[in-house]
Amino acid sequence: MTIPPLRWLVTDLNMVVLPDSDINVLEWEQKVRDSSGAGLWITDDDMRRFVRYNHQMIDGEFFGSPIDSTADDASQAMVRIDFFDSTTVTVTLDRSVIGTSWEFDLFLGPGVPASGIGSRDEEIADEQRRAQEARDGQQIRALVRACLRNARIDEAPALLTQLDAVVDVTPSGPRAWSLALERDDAPRVDLPDGPLPQAARYQTDAEAAGGELLIWVHDGRMQMVELPWCTDAMPTELPRLDQLVFPAGRDAGDGERTP
C-alpha cells in the first residue's frame, strides 16, 4: 500500500517482533489495554516501527487518520488494518487517498465496496444483527403460515402460495416486517387493502393478552406483517406458535385447541 503519514488509533495489539527489535512489545500491549476511550493513539513513526520489526501479528486493529485530524475516535479514518487470530487480515481503505498495487490485491483478494470504515466490534454486531434478522424472518414465516392455515377466508390458499414466493422478510418498524415476493405470477387475492379480517392474537409467557398478529395486504398481495402489543412494554421476543390464539377456537396447528 502507498500510505501517507497518518496518526494511528490502536484498539487491539498482540504481536511478536523480530529478534533485533528494540520494541518492548509487552509495554505496548499493556498501554493498549490500559488506554481509555476509543483506544491508544500512536504516531506514524511508531506505526512504521511496528511494521518494520513485526515478525507475527497475532491480533491487531489499526485505524489511520489524517495527521491534522482532531477526532478522538476512528470517525475520520482513511484506512483500517485488522489482523485476527494470526490467520486473517482485512484492509478497509479510501482508495482516493491510499494506493494499492496488484500484488496487494493478489494477496488479499479483490476488493468489495464498503459503506464506511467500521471496527471489528461493529462488524461482529452487524453479523449478529443479520443472523437475528434471518431467524426472525423464519419465525415470521412460520407464524403467518399458521395464521393462514387457520384463517376462515376463501383467499387463504392463494395467500399460502404467496407466502411460498416470499424471498425476503425485512424489519420495517417496531414489531413490523415487510414481505418481498419473488414471483410476479403469485396469485393475487380479491381483498381490500389493509389487514386481513379476523386477526389472530398472541400471548406471552407473562400475559394472556400480548397483542395481535396482523397480515397486511396491498393490491392483492401480502405486503407486511405487524405485531402490535397491548402490554405496558413492547415485547422483546416474537411469539411462539403455541402462543397464537385464533378466532372462534380455531386449531393452532399443533393438535391443540386454543381458548
Side-chain angles (χ1 to χ4, degrees):
M1 290 188 295
T2 304
I3 305 179
L6 302 171
R7 59 191 295 251
W8 292 88
L9 177 66
V10 187
T11 61
D12 189 25
L13 181 64
N14 186 358
M15 67 181 294
V16 178
V17 295
L18 295 171
D20 61 342
S21 168
D22 61 353
I23 296 176
N24 188 330
V25 175
L26 294 180
E27 180 180 335
W28 278 107
E29 291 176 351
Q30 189 62 48
K31 287 181 179 179
V32 174
R33 288 193 293 269
D34 292 343
S35 61
S36 59
L40 178 68
W41 286 97
I42 64 174
T43 66
D44 193 70
D45 288 340
D46 288 331
M47 182 63 178
R48 294 183 185 275
R49 287 176 64 220
F50 286 168
V51 173
R52 184 181 310 115
Y53 293 111
N54 172 60
H55 176 66
Q56 180 186 14
M57 186 64 68
I58 301 171
D59 283 293
E61 187 177 39
F62 307 88
F63 296 87
S65 298
I67 288 289
D68 58 355
S69 69
T70 58
D72 57 5
D73 56 19
S75 59
Q76 297 181 5
M78 297 183 297
V79 59
R80 169 186 167 234
I81 306 172
D82 182 20
F83 296 87
F84 182 72
D85 198 24
S86 299
T87 58
T88 302
V89 57
T90 60
V91 178
T92 310
L93 53 86
D94 181 349
R95 284 189 180 273
S96 67
V97 179
I98 311 299
T100 60
S101 65
W102 67 268
E103 294 95 342
F104 178 88
D105 291 335
L106 181 66
F107 176 65
L108 288 183
V112 297
S115 58
I117 300 180
S119 68
R120 185 192 304 172
D121 289 342
E122 290 171 335
E123 290 177 351
I124 293 173
D126 285 342
E127 290 176 1
Q128 293 173 340
R129 175 184 53 77
R130 287 192 293 268
Q132 184 61 54
E133 288 179 357
R135 290 191 293 269
D136 289 347
Q138 292 299 319
Q139 181 65 3
I140 290 295
R141 293 170 191 260
L143 292 168
V144 171
R145 189 175 301 278
C147 289
L148 294 177
R149 285 176 173 172
N150 288 274
R152 289 183 169 181
I153 55 175
D154 294 337
E155 294 81 3
L159 290 170
L160 282 167
T161 301
Q162 287 188 14
L163 181 63
D164 291 335
V166 170
V167 294
D168 196 19
V169 181
T170 308
S172 58
R175 306 280 284 181
W177 292 261
S178 297
L179 306 178
L181 277 66
E182 177 184 32
R183 298 193 301 269
D184 290 336
D185 58 350
R188 296 181 184 273
V189 295
D190 186 17
L191 287 171
D193 292 350
L196 294 182
Q198 300 181 353
R201 296 183 292 110
Y202 65 88
Q203 302 171 338
T204 69
D205 289 335
E207 301 287 345
E212 289 185 300
L213 192 152
L214 304 179
I215 303 171
W216 289 76
V217 174
H218 177 73
D219 196 22
R221 296 183 186 277
M222 286 191 298
Q223 182 187 56
M224 184 178 71
V225 177
E226 185 180 9
L227 293 172
W229 62 97
C230 58
T231 53
D232 291 338
M234 182 179 73
T236 58
E237 303 289 339
L238 295 179
R240 303 185 303 269
L241 292 179
D242 62 355
Q243 292 177 320
L244 291 176
V245 181
F246 301 103
R250 298 286 289 176
D251 192 279
D254 57 2
E256 297 181 359
R257 308 287 290 185
T258 58

